[in-house]
């Protein structure tokens, strides 16, 4: 359709870099005669928390076609009600854009990034109508080189990356294509006939050829896993680089990423796989996997596009858990990381779950349901009181994968379940119900894993990951930590003899307590989150030394802990206890058995360039 033919037209431009304002004009040809209602979503799909994006709207005004003001009032925090009017109207408003995250909107002198949920008011009564968007190039000479990256469809046949006219078939589509404006780098590649672009904004000095090579293999893996025509022709990894930010959010044909620029690989690091780069590939893998698993295969509760209030679902263990399982696994399968490196990551996941005593209080389905107020609003008690549907969901996916392989004499795997989810639900746009996995297993793979799934989803019983890995040639070992920062996954020397039981960050003098594990020596001594831990038995503590300092004492001894809390010095008794074996690593003992799980079997020789 042409730009002028759409009954709803948005125009968006940069108003003030210093003030961080985007400005929007919205033209509506046929407003509701009883008074047009306009609203902004309270949350963005993929991030299950009420964000109240409307709080950033300022300078709201409405006028008719001759410029006469139309009165309005607000009916709630995110809804505007205009006075009755017949004939075309225009609404103008500014959006304060200074949230450097993948969820909202941001503007500085380097780039502008926004999600439609933060900037485009929904026009009540016409959310199913096509609309157009004019994205206006800033006139400031400092922004002369700015271009534009989005997967919003072009309204007129110009080049991608040009400012100008874009369009969407509905409001739901309009808000699912984030936009980046700036002077960014484009790393293009093609895989299985999909045109991919890695967009890097914010400045970097990384080995883009290496990233392109690795990322194209991962994209190829996911497309081939689902064994069907890819559901998009073009896909963007829109990456904002920063000092230490981290985040990813999935969309229909793109993902928005926030990543530390120093964690991208440099040309000097060609021969190794730095942890930060492995994490970047895993993040990209995760978000692209969501193109199927949650963007197109969707839980019933999230299928309706209602973004005004919370939508509760028990199914995030499938959508985030399975995605978290495949994000790392696919790196091993396509040869981007070694099998040992993959098992290190799996060991870290098992360590995280093992140390999380909240797994013994909350089920994974409860965690999913309460994501809005618990997982997304974690406080000091999180490690002790809640379980992550990402972490436990990924371990459930591992167990399911291995159980399916075991019970089907290696004829089937979780890959089949993903393909069934796609062909029976995602491709047909049918939402999933909470027992979808049980039903698919019974109906199409003839497997009854009801007992396992009931226990995994609705109880706090331990998962059988250890015995299943053992059956596939991988032995799970537990050991004590070797430092306060030990994330597990690897065999280690110099293990701690004595336990501490709290997480800390370094201060110039002392340590700031960030987490206290229930029933640990630190917990029993009375340490709490926010305390500044200064001295152990009168000696100043540091991150590097604390473990060794504790090891100098015998189990059962009582030590003094000097702590500053709310400007008051406190002294606690700390009773020395042996270090728990809370750290997991995985050893391969039978490569033949392991190959029944981790052989690179699904990648063909499809050309990638
Ligand atoms: Zn995710």
């Amino acid at each position: 359709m042409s730009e002028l033919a759409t009954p709803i037209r948005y125009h968006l431009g940069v108003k003030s870099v210093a003030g961080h304002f985007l400005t929007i004009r919205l033209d509506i040809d046929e407003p509701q005669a009883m008074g047009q209602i306009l609203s902004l979503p309270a949350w963005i799909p993929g991030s299950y928390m009420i964000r109240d994006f409307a709080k950033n709207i300022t300078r709201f005004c409405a006028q008719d076609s001759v410029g006469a003001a139309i009165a309005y009032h607000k009916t709630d925090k995110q809804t505007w009600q205009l006075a009755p009017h017949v004939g075309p109207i225009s609404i103008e408003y500014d959006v304060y854009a200074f949230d450097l995250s993948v969820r909202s909107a941001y503007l500085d002198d380097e780039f502008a990034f926004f999600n439609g949920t933060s900037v485009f008011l929904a026009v009540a009564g016409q959310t199913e109508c096509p609309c157009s968007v004019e994205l206006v190039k800033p006139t400031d000479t400092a922004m002369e080189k700015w271009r534009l990256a989005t997967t919003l469809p072009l309204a007129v046949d110009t080049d991608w990356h040009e400012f100008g006219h874009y369009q969407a078939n509905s409001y739901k589509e309009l808000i699912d294509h984030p936009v980046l404006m700036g002077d960014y780098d484009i790393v293009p590649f093609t895989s299985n006939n999909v045109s991919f672009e890695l967009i890097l904004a914010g400045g970097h000095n990384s080995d883009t050829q290496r990233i392109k090579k690795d990322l194209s293999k991962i994209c190829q893996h996911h497309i081939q896993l689902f064994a069907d025509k890819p559901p998009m022709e073009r896909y963007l990894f829109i990456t904002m680089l920063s000092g230490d930010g981290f985040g990813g959010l999935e969309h229909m044909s793109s993902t928005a990423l926030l990543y530390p620029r120093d964690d991208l690989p440099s040309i000097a690091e060609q021969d190794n796989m730095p942890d930060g780069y492995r994490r970047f590939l895993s993040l990209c893998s995760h978000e692209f996997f969501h193109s199927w698993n949650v963007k197109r295969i969707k839980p019933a509760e999230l299928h309706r596009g209602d973004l005004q209030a919370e939508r509760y679902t028990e199914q995030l263990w499938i959508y985030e858990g399975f995605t978290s399982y495949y994000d790392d696994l696919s790196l091993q399968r396509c040869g981007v990381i070694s099998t040992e490196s993959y098992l290190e990551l799996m060991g870290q996941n098992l360590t995280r779950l093992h140390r999380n005593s909240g797994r013994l209080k909350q089920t994974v389905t409860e965690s999913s349901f309460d994501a809005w107020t618990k997982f997304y609003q974690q406080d000091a008690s999180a490690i002790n009181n809640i379980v992550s549907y990402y972490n436990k969901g990924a371990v459930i996916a591992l167990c399911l994968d291995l159980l399916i392989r075991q019970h089907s004499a290696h004829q089937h795997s979780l890959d089949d379940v993903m393909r069934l989810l796609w062909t029976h639900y995602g491709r047909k746009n049918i939402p999933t119900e909470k027992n979808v996995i049980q039903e698919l297993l019974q109906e199409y793979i003839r497997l009854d894993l009801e007992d396992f799934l009931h226990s995994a989803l609705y109880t706090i019983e331990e998962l059988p990951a250890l015995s299943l890995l053992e059956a596939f040639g991988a032995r799970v070992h537990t050991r004590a930590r070797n430092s306060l920062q030990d994330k597990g996954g690897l065999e280690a020397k110099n293990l701690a003899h004595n336990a501490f039981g709290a997480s800390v960050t370094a201060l110039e003098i002392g340590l700031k307590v960030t987490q206290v594990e229930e029933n640990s020596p630190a917990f029993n001594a009375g340490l709490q989150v926010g305390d500044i831990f200064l001295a152990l038995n009168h000696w100043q503590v540091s991150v590097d030394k604390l473990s060794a300092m504790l090891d100098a004492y015998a189990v059962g001894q009582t030590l003094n802990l000097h702590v500053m809390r709310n400007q008051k010095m406190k002294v606690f008794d700390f009773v020395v206890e042996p270090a728990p074996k809370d750290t997991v690593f995985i050893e391969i003992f039978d490569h033949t058995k392991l190959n029944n799980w981790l052989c690179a079997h699904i990648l063909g020789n499809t050309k990638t360039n």
Side-chain angles (χ1 to χ4, degrees):
M1 79 211 70
S2 78
E3 191 266 335
L4 291 174
T6 60
I8 298 169
R9 298 176 299 280
Y10 299 87
H11 308 256
L12 181 145
V14 170
K15 181 171 187 177
S16 160
V17 171
H20 310 289
F21 280 111
L22 298 170
T23 189
I24 294 101
R25 194 184 83 231
L26 164 57
D27 299 326
I28 307 170
D29 286 348
E30 292 177 26
Q32 291 168 303
M34 298 299 290
Q36 181 63 53
I37 294 170
L38 301 153
S39 64
L40 211 57
W43 60 281
I44 181 168
S47 184
Y48 306 105
M49 184 172 150
I50 296 299
R51 305 270 177 196
D52 291 332
F53 300 118
K55 70 187 174 191
N56 293 314
I57 289 195
T58 61
R59 198 188 67 85
F60 182 97
C61 58
Q63 56 187 35
D64 64 16
S65 53
V66 294
I70 299 172
Y72 69 88
H73 67 280
K74 284 186 79 172
T75 55
D76 64 27
K77 61 187 176 180
Q78 59 210 1
T79 311
W80 287 256
Q81 164 86 61
L82 305 195
H85 178 81
V86 178
I89 59 170
S90 291
I91 296 97
E92 285 187 18
Y93 53 98
D94 297 337
V95 172
Y96 176 65
F98 201 46
D99 176 11
L100 184 54
S101 80
V102 296
R103 308 179 288 264
S104 181
Y106 181 80
L107 168 66
D108 74 5
D109 58 333
E110 289 279 330
F111 58 80
F113 169 81
F114 63 84
N115 290 287
T117 37
S118 282
V119 296
F120 298 130
L121 285 170
V123 179
Q126 300 188 59
T127 52
E128 297 301 323
C129 297
C131 57
S132 65
V133 184
E134 184 186 8
L135 298 167
V136 184
K137 185 170 181 176
T139 50
D140 193 322
T141 49
M143 299 172 184
E144 220 163 33
K145 290 184 175 171
W146 278 31
R147 293 182 289 175
L148 189 146
T150 184
T151 47
L152 262 176
L154 285 161
V156 286
D157 195 17
T158 49
D159 289 342
W160 297 115
H161 304 285
E162 298 258 335
F163 285 86
H165 295 283
Y166 290 79
Q167 64 185 6
N169 286 315
S170 65
Y171 183 74
K172 192 178 170 188
E173 183 182 327
L174 174 70
I175 58 173
D176 214 352
H177 297 276
V179 176
L180 181 93
M181 305 171 174
D183 178 17
Y184 48 76
D185 286 341
I186 307 171
V187 185
F189 59 94
T190 307
S191 190
N192 299 69
N193 297 319
V194 180
S195 299
F196 290 91
E197 285 177 352
L198 169 65
I199 305 289
L200 296 170
H204 68 102
N205 190 15
S206 63
D207 183 351
T208 53
Q209 287 307 308
R210 179 178 183 187
I211 304 175
K212 173 172 153 170
K213 197 169 129 225
D214 292 340
L215 199 49
S216 62
K217 287 183 192 167
I218 296 163
C219 295
Q220 188 185 358
H221 168 275
H222 294 0
I223 293 169
Q224 293 188 359
L225 174 73
F226 286 95
D228 195 8
K229 187 173 175 283
M232 75 293 282
E233 292 174 354
R234 181 170 180 251
Y235 187 91
L236 298 188
F237 292 91
I238 300 172
T239 314
M240 295 175 275
L241 295 166
S242 72
D244 58 0
F246 179 87
L249 196 57
E250 64 275 10
H251 298 280
M252 286 303 267
S253 320
S254 62
T255 175
L257 307 170
L258 177 67
Y259 207 75
R261 62 171 64 77
D262 293 343
D263 281 356
L264 293 182
S266 72
I267 291 176
E269 290 171 312
Q270 271 169 348
D271 294 333
N272 61 19
M273 173 58 74
D275 286 357
Y277 179 43
R278 185 173 64 175
R279 194 169 69 131
F280 177 71
L281 293 174
S282 177
L283 178 65
C284 293
S285 172
H286 183 99
E287 301 306 337
F288 186 50
F289 198 84
H290 272 317
S291 301
W292 290 267
N293 199 35
V294 94
K295 293 311 300 184
R296 290 172 174 85
I297 310 164
K298 289 172 92 81
E301 300 83 0
L302 300 179
H303 201 251
R304 260 192 317 128
D306 182 359
L307 301 174
Q308 298 300 302
E310 295 89 340
R311 310 284 309 163
Y312 298 98
T313 178
E314 287 186 1
Q315 300 187 51
L316 293 178
W317 65 277
I318 304 172
Y319 291 97
E320 290 302 346
F322 285 21
T323 304
S324 297
Y325 176 58
Y326 278 104
D327 61 17
D328 290 340
L329 179 64
S330 57
L331 305 190
Q332 184 273 343
R333 282 181 170 181
C334 62
V336 166
I337 63 171
S338 66
T339 299
E340 288 72 18
S341 179
Y342 171 67
L343 291 176
E344 179 192 349
L345 292 171
M346 181 54 76
Q348 289 177 357
N349 282 336
L350 292 172
T351 300
R352 197 174 143 211
L353 187 61
H354 189 77
R355 289 178 184 172
N356 169 207
S357 64
R359 79 188 191 286
L360 305 174
K361 291 183 187 161
Q362 189 191 42
T363 68
V364 75
T365 42
E366 287 168 345
S367 175
S368 170
F369 191 89
D370 285 330
W372 303 87
T373 51
K374 295 193 176 197
F375 187 76
Y376 267 93
Q377 298 198 49
Q378 295 188 25
D379 58 22
S381 72
I383 191 174
N384 300 320
N385 293 338
I386 69 169
V387 71
S388 159
Y389 49 81
Y390 286 82
N391 183 209
K392 184 169 177 180
V395 180
I396 292 172
L398 165 75
C399 294
L400 258 183
D401 194 13
L402 300 184
L403 280 167
I404 296 168
R405 289 167 191 271
Q406 209 174 46
H407 287 266
S408 68
H410 309 293
Q411 296 304 300
H412 294 285
S413 72
L414 194 63
D415 295 359
D416 295 294
V417 176
M418 294 316 307
R419 285 188 279 271
L420 288 166
L421 281 167
W422 172 243
T423 50
H424 292 273
Y425 294 93
R427 195 167 60 189
K428 293 180 179 169
N429 198 26
I430 296 172
T432 64
E433 300 297 336
K434 64 181 180 182
N435 52 352
V436 63
I437 302 300
Q438 292 89 323
E439 287 181 359
L440 286 175
L441 285 171
Q442 274 172 6
E443 198 170 334
Y444 296 99
I445 309 184
R446 304 282 168 214
L447 275 186
D448 183 359
L449 298 177
E450 181 61 40
D451 288 350
F452 163 74
L453 282 165
H454 176 80
S455 161
L457 304 183
Y458 299 106
T459 80
I460 52 167
E461 287 165 25
E462 298 286 10
L463 296 170
L466 277 60
S467 57
L468 283 166
L469 284 167
E470 180 88 17
F472 281 81
R475 188 157 295 139
V476 175
H477 297 272
T478 54
R479 60 168 175 80
R481 305 176 198 220
N482 71 342
S483 71
L484 290 181
Q485 295 91 348
D486 188 354
K487 288 190 291 187
L490 293 172
E491 197 172 359
K493 291 183 176 139
N494 303 320
L495 302 182
H497 296 297
N498 295 331
F500 179 52
S503 302
V504 292
T505 54
L507 297 173
E508 204 169 326
I509 296 175
L511 304 168
K512 179 137 189 190
V513 178
T514 56
Q515 230 173 27
V516 183
E517 295 156 32
E518 210 166 40
N519 302 321
S520 69
F523 178 94
N524 293 333
L527 215 61
Q528 68 182 39
V529 169
D531 284 349
I532 298 170
F533 174 25
L534 295 170
L536 180 74
N537 251 12
H538 307 281
W539 292 97
Q540 187 177 323
V541 290
S542 69
V543 169
D544 296 337
K545 286 185 186 164
L546 181 61
S547 204
M549 287 168 78
L550 277 168
D551 284 352
Y553 300 97
V555 170
Q557 243 182 300
T558 301
L559 313 177
N560 281 333
L561 230 64
H562 280 82
V563 166
M564 193 63 88
R565 177 183 298 169
N566 283 333
Q567 300 181 318
K568 192 173 176 186
M569 181 72 87
K570 304 242 174 195
V571 186
F572 296 113
D573 287 342
F574 179 99
V575 180
V576 178
E577 290 181 24
K581 288 187 173 184
D582 64 357
T583 306
V584 175
F585 69 95
I586 300 171
E587 174 205 14
I588 304 170
F589 70 90
D590 187 330
H591 284 273
T592 311
K593 284 183 180 168
L594 191 73
N595 280 343
N596 285 325
W597 170 40
L598 291 183
C599 55
H601 59 288
I602 71 158
L603 270 194
N605 291 319
T606 308
K607 188 169 177 286
T608 301
N609 54 37

